[in-house]
Amino acid sequence: GNHTGVCGRLACELHARLEEMQSKGVHWQPSPQAGTSTLLIVDRSVDWIPLLLHDMHYEALLHDVLSSSCVSFEEGRFVYVDRVAGAEQGRTVVLGDARDSLWETCRHKPIWEVNDLVTAEITTWTQRDAEMRRPAPANSVSQRVSTTLNTLQSIPEHKDRFDRLQLHLDICQKCLDVIESQMLVDIGALEQDLATGLDREGCRLSPRAVEKELLQHLHNPQLDSSVKARLLLLFLSSAEGAGCPDSKHRELASHLAAADQRLPFSPGLIAAPRPEQKEVEKRRLSFQERCRGAGSPRTQRLRRWQPRVRRLIEELARGALDAREFPEYRKSRVHSSSSARPGLTAGASAQARTVTIFVIGGVTLPEVRAAHEAALALGIDVFVGGSCMLTPGALMSALRSL
């Protein structure tokens, strides 16, 4: 951005505050050995795709497809049915509390891997439960007492583990039910095509074939209007659909529910900046490389796309962010190199050890996952945040209220 934009104004204000802190002797970075820190402030228009596409990773998916039924994104709570002694009762739990090691293990994994992991864990738990209930061999009184005490001590943890497994199995089943009923495997594959500009083989898309498949989904009466609307908005924002005239917009929108037919004409989406053709080709090439190393067929089909935040993190870590798109970045590096103050140094060839991206307008769960994966891959500290947390449901509600 620039100094007149909201991103530029926020960056200038932050820089002034840091300067003020340093003038008072407050050093916010412990030592030069800690490496350089880079902050990039962008607005939501940098990437709309995470709010339109169905991300198939556990945390993002459950807050997307279950948000209107049993999960509260704001409170991080999930309501599920607990089956005790043949009876069913509703229970509310906090996702990701200190006792839930499964959440930290699974939250950024694809839903099918989580389902397989939880199913395998339940099998292991069942076997252990049977072993615990089996009478101990009567070798001696002391051995029987010791075995009994150990069994009793492990029961609370053992039962708590089962409760957590039951919780995540219930979440997986609900997500998989929605995936099946809304045909999200087929929908998701087309969304991946539109988001990357490539098919699963890494080949360029045929606009005619894309539009034909899009119409098949829009004509399907079994699909929710919100699923159709998101797919249509993703198509219209893609390279394949960006050039459609208004008459085509109206024709495609006529297949949505009456309340959603004006969504393609929302002022916020119409005014959103479009990437230049050179940037489109750059993104397509990066996705093409990802297609080649995608691994499993399911990954090729449903996990080819990555939020743009991922590439921005990689470029910031290398000190190679595109100065044409972010002219203030080059100016800030020149300024910080000449000032050479502790905590603000960023030499022309320096590589950042800490990367922070702040998204004005809100950050999404796929971007949180991308930051987590980038930190592991690059071996650096990565922080991503925003003025709020956004979900696809929140975007659709906002667009409908305009």
Side-chain angles (χ1 to χ4, degrees), residues 54-128:
H54 288 85
D55 188 288
M56 291 294 174
H57 296 82
Y58 191 45
E59 182 179 25
L61 183 67
L62 78 91
H63 284 296
D64 182 356
V65 302
L66 304 183
S67 60
S68 62
S69 56
C70 54
V71 63
S72 168
F73 180 71
E74 292 77 13
E75 300 177 1
R77 296 180 182 275
F78 178 77
V79 179
Y80 76 112
V81 176
D82 190 8
R83 299 170 181 84
V84 181
E88 296 186 353
Q89 59 183 27
R91 288 185 59 187
T92 300
V93 295
V94 176
L95 294 171
D97 69 16
R99 296 178 301 160
D100 194 358
S101 60
L102 275 170
W103 177 255
E104 286 306 314
T105 300
C106 296
R107 59 185 294 204
H108 297 308
K109 291 181 180 291
I111 183 64
W112 52 86
E113 288 186 10
V114 178
N115 188 60
D116 291 346
L117 186 151
V118 171
T119 302
E121 287 261 4
I122 288 177
T123 300
T124 301
W125 185 94
T126 303
Q127 293 171 346
R128 183 162 182 255

Side-chain angles (χ1 to χ4, degrees), residues 29 32 35-37 336-337 339-347 350:
Q29 184 165 303
T36 60
S37 300
S336 59
S337 296
S339 60
R341 292 176 178 168
L344 291 176
T345 57

Side-chain angles (χ1 to χ4, degrees), residues 224-227 229-230 257 259-260 262-263 266 392-402:
D224 290 346
S225 182
S226 60
V227 172
R230 285 168 59 177
D260 291 339
R262 58 191 179 90
L263 291 182
S266 299
L395 174 68
M396 298 303 290
S397 297
L399 291 177
R400 286 168 178 146
S401 66
L402 293 177

Side-chain angles (χ1 to χ4, degrees), residues 205-224:
L205 302 177
S206 162
R208 182 173 297 180
V210 167
E211 186 173 334
K212 179 181 178 181
E213 187 175 355
L214 172 68
L215 284 170
Q216 288 175 347
H217 292 307
L218 294 180
H219 286 147
N220 188 341
Q222 295 181 348
L223 298 184
D224 290 346

Side-chain angles (χ1 to χ4, degrees), residues 149-202:
L149 288 175
N150 288 337
T151 300
L152 289 173
Q153 289 170 355
S154 66
I155 284 176
E157 179 183 347
H158 182 63
K159 185 178 184 307
D160 183 67
R161 183 67 172 176
F162 176 74
D163 290 342
R164 295 292 162 175
L165 288 169
Q166 184 185 36
L167 162 68
H168 290 288
L169 183 64
D170 198 49
I171 293 175
C172 285
Q173 190 56 58
K174 282 182 166 60
C175 288
L176 293 172
D177 288 345
V178 175
I179 287 173
E180 182 177 1
S181 67
Q182 294 300 304
M183 299 177 60
L184 292 186
V185 171
D186 293 334
I187 294 282
L190 178 56
E191 289 174 341
Q192 294 283 320
D193 290 350
L194 294 171
T196 61
L198 303 165
D199 63 19
R200 75 185 76 172
E201 305 298 331

Side-chain angles (χ1 to χ4, degrees), residues 341-358:
R341 292 176 178 168
L344 291 176
T345 57
S349 61
Q351 294 187 342
R353 299 302 306 162
T354 302
V355 169
T356 304
I357 296 182
F358 186 86

